[in-house]
Amino acid sequence: MVQVNGNYLKLKAGYLFPEIARRVKAFSEANPEAAIIRLGIGDVTEPLPQACRTAMKAAVDELGSREGFRGYGPEQGYPWLREAIAAHDFQARGCQVGAEEIFISDGSKCDSSNILDILGEGNRIAVTDPVYPVYVDSNVMAGRTGEADAQGQYGGLTYLPITAENGFSAPLPQGKVDLIYLCFPNNPTGAVASKAQLQQWVDYALANDALILFDAAYEAFIRDPELPHSIYEIEGARRCAIELRSFSKNAGFTGTRCAFTVVPKGLMGTAATGEQVELWGLWNRRQCTKFNGVSYIVQRGAEAVYSPQGQAEVKTLINFYMDNAAIIRRELSAAGLSVYGGEQAPYVWLKTPAGLDSWGFFDQLLGQAHVVGTPGSGFGAAGEGYFRLSAFNSRANVEEAMRRLRAL
Ligand SMILES: *Cc1c(COP(=O)(O)O)cnc(C)c1O
């Protein structure tokens, strides 16, 4: 019989979102009349920007002519998209990022796990707790961890707790780690990092020869002009950081699929021989062998995000979701709950009421208000006692969900 990858058997059985789906299904079968409002999974709800749709339709028609037809594109993405990204997302903010350092992909979720292909087995890895589950599970699958303990924490990983007590700002690791996952604005807590805080991480990474994987999927939700959008706004980051970005949350591309990873030239890793190796070359090789690029149509859609019309439409979308977040924050605070995040991120993170753990609050919210959220414990042991509500929904649903919560 074929052998399976035993690392997959180390994964915790009750993965968060399937468990939520199971409980919601059981509840709605028992209560078919209940109108359930889902503020759980972080998926967008509003239609694609017109600018993107127009560009994608034109691209479809181009492919329908002999002259306009295109087959395989460059594995790294089309130059016009990489140039638009470099100019708008980085150079306009004073970051020295060139188009050739940008690798277009079909998602940051994939990139954040695929990047492990070019990193060695022996790296000491640090993640925040709570954390976006993909960072942890992809390391488990790749055999970079030990077994899970009773709390669900994997051997070999360094967990950095982020709680109300430390303002959801992870402490620097005590000892030396080699790979650090950071996500700002943060999923799930909605916390942000100032330039000074990011500078501490960059200084730590440079002093310890560590690599930072910086996930900026929510940068478009930042409203405070003092906050950095990219890690490359920080001195020294080009020598220690890879950045992940996505069109999923700003332009509603969760189903359309387009993202990118920035790998600076001159960013080095170490081979077993001690020789220094440029990560750019390894990632380029990895993509050329294992990836055939994102659809031309979708890349034209992503390019349109940078047009004046696209920029205006994205701004409207972000403002819409952030107004939802403000409503959620206001109503939960008025209900006496301790509320965090939701000001520079589409997630509101709240402390569960006294006497209820994360799943207890989930069941109460579902059972009594027919509202689905995400238990904080699903993002890590230190998320116990917290709960995430997403601002990705229609205004009517958010208002109705808050009306029901008030009535509780
Ligand atoms: C939604 C999200 C992404 C984006 O993933 P895609 O695969 O590009 O859709 C990346 N990181 C985090 C933390 C997210 O929540």
Side-chain angles (χ1 to χ4, degrees):
M1 220 179 270
V2 73
Q3 293 185 9
V4 300
N5 180 347
N7 295 318
Y8 279 61
L9 309 181
K10 295 182 198 165
L11 293 165
K12 281 177 284 167
Y15 178 63
L16 178 60
F17 292 107
E19 176 60 18
I20 292 176
R22 193 189 66 74
R23 293 195 191 202
V24 173
K25 184 161 175 277
F27 177 81
S28 62
E29 278 168 9
N31 303 275
E33 75 296 341
I36 294 174
I37 299 178
R38 289 161 208 272
L39 301 178
I41 294 185
D43 194 0
V44 296
T45 55
E46 301 309 298
L48 274 181
Q50 180 67 56
C52 302
R53 284 180 284 139
T54 303
M56 287 193 279
K57 284 181 194 165
V60 169
D61 287 337
E62 253 186 281
L63 297 182
S65 71
R66 181 158 290 281
E67 312 73 55
F69 176 76
R70 285 170 174 80
Y72 292 123
E75 289 91 346
Q76 303 84 354
Y78 282 99
W80 32 263
L81 178 56
R82 301 170 84 195
E83 278 154 21
I85 291 168
H88 285 86
D89 283 335
F90 298 101
Q91 291 156 12
R93 301 196 64 84
C95 306
Q96 288 176 358
V97 171
E100 72 288 356
E101 298 175 317
I102 289 162
F103 291 84
I104 310 299
S105 78
D106 58 349
S108 286
K109 186 186 192 177
C110 335
D111 284 349
S112 73
S113 54
N114 289 338
I115 200 81
L116 294 177
D117 269 12
I118 66 163
L119 302 177
E121 306 266 319
N123 288 317
R124 284 156 294 190
I125 300 156
V127 291
T128 62
D129 176 11
V131 70
Y132 180 53
V134 177
Y135 310 151
V136 172
D137 288 359
S138 57
N139 274 289
V140 177
M141 291 170 170
R144 310 286 165 89
T145 72
E147 300 285 341
D149 66 14
Q151 283 193 308
Q153 296 203 323
Y154 290 94
L157 291 187
T158 298
Y159 289 90
L160 308 170
I162 48 174
T163 59
E165 285 69 42
N166 61 23
F168 304 99
S169 158
L172 294 175
Q174 296 272 299
K176 178 174 157 45
V177 300
D178 306 298
L179 178 60
I180 303 155
Y181 289 82
L182 294 179
C183 174
F184 290 113
N186 189 252
N187 177 9
T189 66
V192 288
S194 67
K195 279 189 183 161
Q197 285 170 320
L198 281 190
Q199 187 70 60
Q200 289 188 338
W201 281 106
V202 167
D203 292 346
Y204 172 92
L206 292 174
N208 290 279
D209 284 330
L211 175 68
I212 295 172
L213 281 183
F214 189 78
D215 186 341
Y218 296 97
E219 61 78 30
F221 294 84
I222 292 175
R223 313 191 124 185
D224 179 347
E226 295 298 313
L227 291 171
H229 288 237
S230 165
I231 191 134
Y232 304 116
E233 292 178 51
I234 309 304
E235 186 69 42
R238 285 184 55 89
R239 285 178 285 126
C240 65
I242 286 175
E243 182 162 304
L244 307 168
R245 292 261 190 128
S246 174
F247 295 97
S248 283
K249 310 296 165 38
N250 62 348
F253 272 45
T254 52
T256 306
R257 310 304 303 146
C258 197
F260 58 94
T261 287
V262 185
V263 185
K265 290 276 184 79
L267 173 61
M268 310 301 278
T270 313
T273 56
E275 180 200 353
Q276 295 226 330
V277 182
E278 199 176 42
L279 295 182
W280 187 95
L282 297 185
W283 184 245
N284 188 49
R285 183 60 211 265
R286 191 259 169 220
Q287 293 297 79
C288 289
T289 297
K290 294 197 180 185
F291 186 56
N292 254 334
V294 174
S295 141
Y296 173 71
I297 301 159
V298 169
Q299 291 192 63
R300 282 295 186 200
E303 182 192 32
V305 166
Y306 298 101
S307 67
Q309 185 192 349
Q311 291 284 289
E313 288 180 286
V314 164
K315 201 167 168 204
T316 304
L317 269 177
I318 301 278
N319 287 342
F320 173 79
Y321 291 127
M322 292 309 287
D323 288 348
N324 282 347
I327 293 170
I328 296 172
R329 274 187 63 92
R330 188 185 68 221
E331 293 296 328
L332 296 179
S333 304
L337 292 164
S338 298
V339 179
Y340 309 95
E343 290 180 312
Q344 323 281 340
Y347 297 116
V348 173
W349 187 244
L350 60 109
K351 214 154 176 36
T352 55
L356 285 178
D357 65 8
S358 294
W359 279 110
F361 188 62
F362 175 92
D363 288 333
Q364 188 189 62
L365 211 57
L366 176 60
Q368 296 178 16
H370 309 163
V371 172
V372 181
T374 314
S377 57
F379 297 102
E384 181 57 88
Y386 293 92
F387 200 79
R388 191 190 76 178
L389 288 178
S390 150
F392 291 129
N393 219 310
S394 66
R395 183 61 43 79
N397 276 349
V398 166
E399 284 176 343
E400 171 62 13
M402 293 302 115
R403 196 191 57 71
R404 294 184 197 168
L405 260 152
R406 258 201 321 271
L408 270 189

Coordinates of all heavy atoms in Angstrom, one line a residue, residues 42 106-110 132 135 183 187 215 217-218 245-249 253-254 257-259 347, ligand 1:
G42 N -13.5 34.8 7.6 CA -13.1 36.1 7.0 C -13.1 36.1 5.5 O -12.1 36.2 4.8
D106 N -1.4 33.0 -6.9 CA -2.8 32.9 -6.8 C -3.3 33.0 -5.4 O -4.4 32.6 -5.1 CB -3.3 31.6 -7.5 CG -2.6 30.4 -6.8 OD1 -1.6 30.5 -6.1 OD2 -3.0 29.2 -7.1
G107 N -2.4 33.4 -4.5 CA -2.9 33.6 -3.1 C -1.8 33.7 -2.1 O -0.8 33.0 -2.2
S108 N -2.0 34.5 -1.0 CA -1.1 34.6 0.0 C -1.1 33.3 0.9 O -0.1 33.0 1.6 CB -1.4 35.8 0.9 OG -1.0 36.9 0.3
K109 N -2.3 32.7 1.0 CA -2.4 31.4 1.7 C -1.4 30.4 1.2 O -0.6 29.8 1.9 CB -3.8 30.9 1.7 CG -4.1 29.7 2.6 CD -5.5 29.2 2.3 CE -5.9 28.2 3.3 NZ -7.3 27.8 3.0
C110 N -1.4 30.3 -0.2 CA -0.5 29.3 -0.8 C 0.9 29.8 -0.6 O 1.8 29.0 -0.3 CB -0.8 29.2 -2.3 SG -2.5 29.6 -2.8
Y132 N -2.9 33.1 12.6 CA -3.6 32.6 11.4 C -3.2 31.1 11.2 O -2.0 30.9 11.1 CB -3.1 33.5 10.2 CG -3.6 33.1 8.8 CD1 -4.9 33.1 8.5 CD2 -2.7 33.0 7.8 CE1 -5.4 32.9 7.2 CE2 -3.1 32.7 6.5 CZ -4.4 32.7 6.2 OH -4.9 32.5 4.9
Y135 N -0.1 29.3 9.0 CA 1.3 29.3 9.3 C 1.7 28.1 10.1 O 2.8 27.5 9.8 CB 1.8 30.6 10.1 CG 1.3 31.9 9.7 CD1 1.1 32.9 10.6 CD2 1.1 32.2 8.3 CE1 0.7 34.2 10.2 CE2 0.6 33.4 7.9 CZ 0.5 34.4 8.8 OH 0.0 35.7 8.5
C183 N 2.0 39.2 11.2 CA 0.8 39.6 10.4 C 0.3 40.9 11.0 O -0.2 40.9 12.1 CB -0.2 38.5 10.4 SG -1.8 38.9 9.6
N187 N -4.7 39.4 11.8 CA -5.8 38.4 11.8 C -5.3 37.4 12.8 O -4.3 36.8 12.6 CB -6.0 37.8 10.4 CG -7.1 36.7 10.5 OD1 -7.8 36.6 11.4 ND2 -7.2 36.0 9.4
D215 N 3.1 39.3 6.7 CA 1.9 39.1 6.0 C 1.1 40.4 6.2 O 0.6 40.8 7.2 CB 1.1 38.0 6.6 CG -0.2 37.6 5.9 OD1 -0.7 38.5 5.1 OD2 -0.7 36.5 6.0
A217 N -1.7 41.3 4.4 CA -3.0 41.1 3.6 C -4.0 42.2 4.0 O -4.9 42.4 3.1 CB -3.5 39.7 4.0
Y218 N -3.9 42.8 5.1 CA -4.9 43.8 5.6 C -4.4 45.2 5.6 O -5.0 46.1 6.2 CB -5.4 43.4 6.9 CG -6.1 42.0 6.9 CD1 -5.5 40.9 7.3 CD2 -7.5 42.0 6.5 CE1 -6.1 39.6 7.2 CE2 -8.1 40.7 6.4 CZ -7.4 39.6 6.7 OH -8.1 38.4 6.7
R245 N 1.4 39.9 0.2 CA 0.3 40.8 -0.1 C -0.8 40.1 -0.9 O -0.4 39.2 -1.7 CB 0.7 42.0 -0.8 CG 1.6 42.9 0.0 CD 0.8 44.1 0.5 NE 1.8 45.1 1.1 CZ 1.8 46.4 0.8 NH1 0.9 46.9 -0.1 NH2 2.6 47.2 1.3
S246 N -2.0 40.5 -0.8 CA -3.0 39.9 -1.5 C -4.1 40.9 -2.0 O -4.3 41.9 -1.4 CB -3.7 38.9 -0.6 OG -4.8 38.3 -1.2
F247 N -4.7 40.6 -3.1 CA -5.9 41.4 -3.6 C -7.2 40.9 -3.0 O -8.3 41.4 -3.3 CB -5.9 41.4 -5.1 CG -4.8 42.1 -5.8 CD1 -3.7 41.3 -6.2 CD2 -4.7 43.4 -5.9 CE1 -2.6 41.9 -6.8 CE2 -3.6 44.1 -6.4 CZ -2.5 43.3 -6.9
S248 N -7.1 39.8 -2.1 CA -8.3 39.2 -1.6 C -9.2 40.2 -0.8 O -10.4 40.2 -1.0 CB -8.0 38.0 -0.8 OG -7.6 36.9 -1.6
K249 N -8.5 40.9 0.1 CA -9.3 41.6 1.1 C -9.5 43.1 0.7 O -10.5 43.7 1.0 CB -8.7 41.5 2.5 CG -8.3 40.1 2.9 CD -9.5 39.2 3.1 CE -9.2 37.7 3.2 NZ -8.1 37.3 3.9
F253 N -10.9 39.9 -4.0 CA -10.5 38.8 -4.9 C -10.4 37.5 -4.3 O -9.7 36.6 -4.7 CB -9.1 39.2 -5.5 CG -9.1 40.0 -6.8 CD1 -9.9 41.1 -6.9 CD2 -8.2 39.7 -7.8 CE1 -9.9 41.9 -8.0 CE2 -8.2 40.4 -9.0 CZ -9.0 41.6 -9.1
T254 N -11.1 37.3 -3.2 CA -11.0 36.0 -2.5 C -11.4 34.8 -3.4 O -10.8 33.7 -3.4 CB -11.9 35.9 -1.2 OG1 -13.2 36.3 -1.5 CG2 -11.4 36.8 -0.1
R257 N -8.8 35.3 -7.1 CA -7.4 34.8 -6.8 C -6.3 35.6 -7.4 O -6.0 35.4 -8.6 CB -7.3 33.3 -7.1 CG -8.4 32.4 -6.6 CD -8.6 32.4 -5.2 NE -7.4 32.1 -4.4 CZ -7.1 32.7 -3.2 NH1 -7.9 33.5 -2.6 NH2 -6.0 32.4 -2.6
C258 N -5.7 36.5 -6.6 CA -4.4 37.1 -7.1 C -3.8 37.7 -5.8 O -4.4 38.3 -5.0 CB -4.6 38.1 -8.1 SG -3.1 38.6 -9.0
A259 N -2.5 37.4 -5.7 CA -1.7 37.9 -4.6 C -0.3 38.1 -5.1 O 0.0 37.9 -6.3 CB -1.8 36.9 -3.4
Y347 N -11.4 43.1 11.6 CA -11.8 42.1 12.6 C -11.9 42.8 14.0 O -11.0 43.6 14.4 CB -10.7 41.0 12.7 CG -10.6 40.2 11.5 CD1 -9.5 40.2 10.7 CD2 -11.7 39.5 11.0 CE1 -9.4 39.5 9.5 CE2 -11.7 38.8 9.8 CZ -10.5 38.8 9.1 OH -10.4 38.1 7.9
Ligands
LIG1 C1 -7.2 36.4 4.0 C2 -5.8 36.3 4.4 C3 -4.8 36.2 3.5 C4 -5.1 36.2 2.0 O1 -5.1 34.9 1.5 P1 -5.4 34.7 -0.1 O2 -4.9 33.3 -0.3 O3 -4.5 35.6 -0.8 O4 -6.8 34.8 -0.3 C5 -3.5 36.1 3.9 N1 -3.2 36.2 5.2 C6 -4.1 36.3 6.1 C7 -3.7 36.4 7.5 C8 -5.5 36.3 5.8 O5 -6.4 36.4 6.7

